[in-house]
Amino acid sequence: MELAGLVGRRVALRHRLGTEDGRPLYTDAVGELADDGPEAVLVHTRRGQVRVARDAVVAVREIPPPVPRRPSWAAVARLENVCADAWPAPLERPLGQWRLRAAGGFTARANSALAVGDPGRPVADALAEVVGFADEHGVEPRAQVPRDSPWHRNLAAHGWVLDERHAAGAEVSVLVTELSELTGLAEPSGGLRLAVEENPGEDWWRLAGDAPVTAAQRHVLTAPGLAHVGFGVASDAADAVIGAVRLAVLDEHLHVARLAVAPEHRRRGVAVALTGAAARWAAARSARWCVLQVADHNTAALGLYRRLGFRPHHRYVYLRPPG
């Protein structure tokens, strides 16, 4: 039976197990097909690897990829809080399980209420506190909620609408992957040098910061309360910094943000090399997964991360009060 054309594809493969009372026994293996030499093939199933002798194969057919399973809302809430811990606002106040945040306008993430979980009071009262906190600290009243979640529906029922003033209302994708998928990415070549530093230098701020660099921005990015924060830099043969990225490890997750490459050095593998260096740095600090947040209008970044094996976990949006 010709199997070579199906290697690397998802298949349903029927094969003989043996006989019982003189009758043949068959079973199916479903997963990605791989070659294992002239005598056998491998099927990578959800439960592990199955080795099948080629002469035992009865039938094989290609099947479509599995429908991704949506994570539970509890898992979404946990990951949202991991990301919020990795991006700490200088001003934060708990509201039940919600988090009110202000950072002088530096990023919507640090200047919004993370509305996941139970605020510990009626939603209308909680939303009034969101507006009051924003007014108190001079930021726009805004709530960050996972798209189509129960919290999204609760806020919409109270008249809160998509905040089109933020990135034209773009949704944000939260992408995840196993860290082991990234640690083997290409080492630097062509004179490129990589390092992860404890403190951001001026060249790092020039590439990855927002000018002017405010005290609130420094607090969010240096995250003084976190044990593992790093600032990745890529330098060329002339010792000029051409790439930068901000890293934080907590709860076994590497959070990646502010990945930037100088325009004249893009599409040369700098971003991939930085991501690999970030993963190796995080693995040494007991991280097992990687997470990042990318606005859906940033198609270049989404394309890069998908090529590196990231997959969507969920999306979130920003809502504002009516009127």
Side-chain angles (χ1 to χ4, degrees), residues 83 177 193:
C83 292
T177 191
R193 293 183 295 104

Side-chain angles (χ1 to χ4, degrees), residues 173-187:
S173 289
V174 179
L175 307 178
V176 295
T177 191
E178 291 79 11
L179 200 68
S180 58
E181 296 291 319
L182 305 174
T183 52
L185 290 175
E187 296 281 354

